[in-house]
Amino acid sequence: MRLQALLVVFGLSAAAGQTAPPPFEVVPSSNYEGTAVGTYDAALTVFNDTPSALQVSARVTGTNEPTQLSFVNGTCPSTKPYNPTFLSSANNVYTRSINRASEICLIIGPLSKKASVTLWTSTPAYVERVPLPPTLASVSPPDNTYKTTRYWVPFIVQETCSSSATTSVVTNANGQSFNICTDRITPTSPGGGLIGAPSVLADTYTGTLANVLNVDGEKVKLNVTVKHFWLFPLLVIYLGLMLASFIEFLRTTKPEADRLEEKASKLRLLEENSLYKLMFNFKEFKSHVKRRLSWLAFGPVPTLDELEAQRVAASQWAAFHDAHQRLHMIDYQTTFIGYQPMFDPAAAPYHPITNPSAIPGVVALLNDLRDEGTTIGAKKPFPATDLADNPIIVHKVEIKPDEFARALSLMRDALTIADLIKELDLQRSNVEVLTAPAARDALVSLERRLYKPPISPNINLSAEDMAAYTRSLIARFDRFIVAYDRAKVDKLLAIAPIGAQTFVPYGIKTAGTTAATGGVTSGRAARVLGDHSGEFGREQRGLALRRSFRGAILFWSALVLALVAGMQALYMNDAPWGTFWDYVVAFTWGSLVYTGLSQLTNALIGLRNVPSARI
């Protein structure tokens, strides 16, 4: 018994010498922003490490400021809880029971400087003192200096402070100062606006934040960069770009518009055509020309090249109308009526009434241009009046100005072909060349080209294909005349029917033809090529489109580049912006960007037009 008692005493003594584990554990969390200027709320997570409920008491020390303790169950969240439970105190001692194996988030504040909290329990007895320092990111910024930028509208004093706001004085290097409100201070920068800012002076101002101390109890420095509101540099850059655009307008567009207006003054009203109508409004054209003479033309206005196309079409309309009228007066169809072509002896002769299906291809092409117009365009209804001035509707082929060059070229070539056919006497030639092989072969080649041309009347017929066909007819006609005259000189021709047409002798007929001049273009072929100076053809339409597209791309590219690059280079930095020279630089930036892009575009176009050197 004595031994057992000794062992019990010895065991109890040994247990009493061991250190018991703490009943709770405290883990500091990130501080929360306080509701007052320059304050914060400390946050601690308290864990109950015992198997039963634990009564924990707390007292805040190191500060004379009134503080409150509140809690939420669980660990402390990253953001301040919205509605914590406040604890009541007795002689500044707060008590809270924590369930077994659970934790609470203890919130202590508001605090403005370093403090501490003492936590203890009675059963078991345990005491722990925890410091509550303000975090560096919460109250004291890096380098102990708040850096902020204020955007100010010139000539307008911004007063956004409350009546109870705390203001801090900041001063620039020239001694000019103003107040900045700090009633809305955040963990990263002071809030509020400017009071009594200098008139238009943008600069860097320094000072200290009122009623705010850092961890070491020192005042926090304040660095304020004043910039004029971002809309002002955008506007000035845009004005600079528009000035450069106006100078470019005076240098290039205005002279061309003046010349166009002078040419437009010579236009006369268009003659009425029985089949075709040019879509040209004289009054509207004059209005568009005048609008093009102004720098800013709002709304849809044709480009100078498009207006030039309209002017050319109107000035050449008389030539188109005359060619169409002359085509009506030439009887080219009679040449083929009842004629048996040599290249197809089995074919039935053509007759417009008894055998219209045998119509030669060239006649169908000329008939369409003369009577239908489907090769040039589609018919549309237009209001008109009859001889008794009664309103009626007529159907005419619409010709747009940018398509007029093709229509004029087709009509001119059709007239040339009709003149050529008029000179032919196929019935007589068919008999005479039977004994002249060279002349017969030339006539067969000409017949084949007349009856079966490589083109047909349709809207897709290009002026180039029509001109090529006309030149091929002229060349075959020239070869036939040369062969015919030589056969006549050599007395190889058979006897012609009485009353048939007689061809002009070789020396007169072939003068100027390709056959007689060794490949030089004949006078008739030259008329086909024609004097197209002033016409607005496919190449000119492409040029107009490129110039219009280039102008739009140039303006919008310059605008985007000037605004985006200008704002990035001049404004989006830590430096102040808003002095007189800042505005001058922004204005110059916009001007130089437009001018530089314009010159670069012209240089690139010039390089494209320079022929490559041959080595």
Side-chain angles (χ1 to χ4, degrees):
M1 292 295 292
R2 182 178 298 179
L3 179 60
Q4 187 177 3
L6 289 173
L7 289 175
V8 172
V9 172
F10 180 78
L12 291 174
S13 301
Q18 293 180 353
T19 303
F24 61 87
E25 180 184 358
V26 181
V27 179
S29 300
S30 299
N31 294 337
Y32 300 129
E33 179 187 351
T35 56
V37 176
T39 63
Y40 67 97
D41 291 336
L44 304 172
T45 301
V46 183
F47 295 89
N48 180 2
D49 293 333
T50 66
S52 60
L54 188 66
Q55 198 81 7
V56 179
S57 299
R59 181 197 299 272
V60 179
T61 59
T63 178
N64 296 324
E65 298 174 332
T67 56
Q68 288 183 322
L69 272 67
S70 58
F71 78 96
V72 293
N73 291 322
T75 58
C76 292
S78 58
T79 58
K80 186 176 180 178
Y82 174 70
N83 192 18
T85 302
F86 288 92
L87 299 175
S88 59
S89 66
N91 298 323
N92 294 327
V93 175
Y94 300 84
T95 302
R96 173 63 187 172
S97 177
I98 306 176
N99 296 329
R100 65 184 182 87
S102 61
E103 65 277 345
I104 64 170
C105 175
L106 194 61
I107 303 170
I108 307 167
L111 301 172
S112 61
K113 59 181 181 180
K114 187 187 300 183
S116 62
V117 63
T118 301
L119 303 173
W120 72 88
T121 58
S122 299
T123 305
Y126 182 75
V127 178
E128 183 172 346
R129 184 174 179 272
V130 182
L132 305 174
T135 57
L136 188 64
S138 174
V139 174
S140 182
D143 301 328
N144 197 37
T145 303
Y146 277 119
K147 294 181 179 180
T148 182
T149 301
R150 287 294 177 264
Y151 300 95
W152 180 61
V153 178
F155 310 109
I156 299 178
V157 176
Q158 301 182 15
E159 297 186 19
T160 59
C161 303
S162 62
S163 59
S164 60
T166 302
T167 57
S168 301
V169 180
V170 289
T171 309
N172 67 358
N174 298 324
Q176 295 173 305
S177 62
F178 65 92
N179 297 334
I180 180 170
C181 309
T182 55
D183 60 330
R184 293 193 302 232
I185 191 169
T186 66
T188 55
S189 65
L194 309 180
I195 296 181
S199 57
V200 291
L201 184 59
D203 206 342
T204 300
Y205 298 81
T206 59
T208 57
L209 277 173
N211 301 332
V212 177
L213 300 178
N214 66 1
V215 177
D216 300 321
E218 300 173 345
K219 290 188 175 182
V220 178
K221 298 177 183 178
L222 177 60
N223 187 307
V224 181
T225 300
V226 177
K227 292 175 178 281
H228 286 183
F229 191 59
W230 57 266
L231 187 60
F232 289 88
L234 279 179
L235 180 61
V236 173
I237 293 174
Y238 178 75
L239 291 177
L241 185 143
M242 294 304 289
L243 175 64
S245 174
F246 178 68
I247 294 174
E248 183 76 6
F249 167 79
L250 294 179
R251 189 178 66 86
T252 58
T253 307
K254 184 66 162 56
E256 292 186 20
D258 288 334
R259 288 192 290 269
L260 178 60
E261 185 183 36
E262 182 181 356
K263 294 177 181 178
S265 63
K266 301 176 182 178
L267 292 179
R268 297 293 179 265
L269 294 178
L270 305 182
E271 296 181 69
E272 284 291 332
N273 187 275
S274 58
L275 178 62
Y276 298 99
K277 183 176 182 62
L278 179 65
M279 301 307 296
F280 177 81
N281 188 302
F282 190 79
K283 183 177 180 181
E284 185 181 71
F285 173 77
K286 290 274 191 178
S287 174
H288 285 161
V289 171
K290 289 186 178 298
R291 292 177 66 185
R292 269 294 161 198
L293 287 172
S294 61
W295 173 46
L296 294 177
F298 297 100
V301 181
T303 64
L304 279 174
D305 295 306
E306 292 169 340
L307 290 174
E308 175 64 13
Q310 296 179 20
R311 185 201 65 80
V312 169
S315 62
Q316 296 281 334
W317 176 253
F320 178 88
H321 176 72
D322 291 344
H324 182 244
Q325 294 299 104
R326 287 183 56 197
L327 189 61
H328 268 285
M329 294 185 292
I330 298 176
D331 185 13
Y332 53 81
Q333 189 169 236
T334 304
T335 302
F336 299 94
I337 295 177
Y339 176 68
Q340 181 67 49
M342 298 181 66
F343 79 96
D344 190 7
Y350 163 69
H351 194 280
I353 298 177
T354 60
N355 191 20
S357 61
I359 184 172
V362 67
V363 175
L365 178 62
L366 297 182
N367 284 349
D368 181 82
L369 289 170
R370 184 189 66 182
D371 303 325
E372 298 297 330
T374 57
T375 302
I376 292 180
K379 286 185 177 181
K380 293 186 177 181
F382 294 97
T385 56
D386 59 11
L387 296 178
D389 293 333
N390 296 318
I392 58 174
I393 296 296
V394 297
H395 289 77
K396 294 185 178 183
V397 177
E398 178 186 72
I399 304 178
K400 296 180 180 179
D402 59 344
E403 300 172 352
F404 177 76
R406 169 180 172 271
L408 178 60
S409 180
L410 292 176
M411 194 59 67
R412 282 177 168 174
D413 291 341
L415 183 60
T416 300
I417 294 173
D419 285 336
L420 182 147
I421 295 174
K422 183 181 177 181
E423 297 180 26
L424 283 174
D425 186 352
L426 293 178
Q427 299 289 355
R428 178 189 181 94
S429 303
N430 186 292
V431 175
E432 291 182 331
V433 301
L434 289 176
T435 55
R440 183 177 66 250
D441 292 343
L443 180 60
V444 169
S445 175
L446 178 59
E447 285 179 354
R448 197 182 303 275
R449 184 61 58 166
L450 289 170
Y451 275 81
K452 299 183 179 298
I455 59 177
S456 59
N458 62 81
I459 191 64
N460 297 318
L461 177 60
S462 66
E464 291 78 8
D465 291 342
M466 182 70 169
Y469 173 64
T470 306
R471 287 192 295 269
S472 69
L473 279 182
I474 292 173
R476 283 170 170 75
F477 182 79
D478 288 347
R479 285 197 295 269
F480 169 67
I481 295 301
V482 170
Y484 177 89
D485 288 347
R486 286 177 178 172
K488 186 175 183 179
V489 171
D490 296 338
K491 298 182 179 180
L492 298 176
L493 297 179
I495 300 175
I498 299 176
Q501 176 183 345
T502 303
F503 285 107
V504 180
Y506 166 78
I508 300 175
K509 189 71 176 182
T510 60
T513 63
T514 54
T517 57
V520 179
T521 305
S522 68
R524 184 182 292 106
R527 187 174 67 184
V528 175
L529 296 176
D531 180 14
H532 298 289
S533 59
E535 291 187 5
F536 196 84
R538 174 179 296 180
E539 184 176 348
Q540 287 79 6
R541 287 199 302 272
L543 176 63
L545 180 61
R546 290 195 300 272
R547 289 179 59 177
S548 176
F549 185 69
R550 184 197 71 182
I553 290 296
L554 171 63
F555 178 81
W556 289 109
S557 299
L559 181 62
V560 172
L561 180 62
L563 295 180
V564 175
M567 290 294 290
Q568 182 67 30
L570 306 178
Y571 191 79
M572 305 300 292
N573 50 46
D574 296 331
W577 196 96
T579 63
F580 171 77
W581 288 109
D582 289 333
Y583 280 94
V584 171
V585 171
F587 187 86
T588 305
W589 178 282
S591 301
L592 291 180
V593 166
Y594 185 89
T595 303
L597 282 181
S598 177
Q599 296 300 325
L600 177 62
T601 303
N602 293 333
L604 292 177
I605 293 176
L607 288 177
R608 289 182 59 187
N609 295 331
V610 174
S612 58
R614 295 183 179 179
I615 301 176

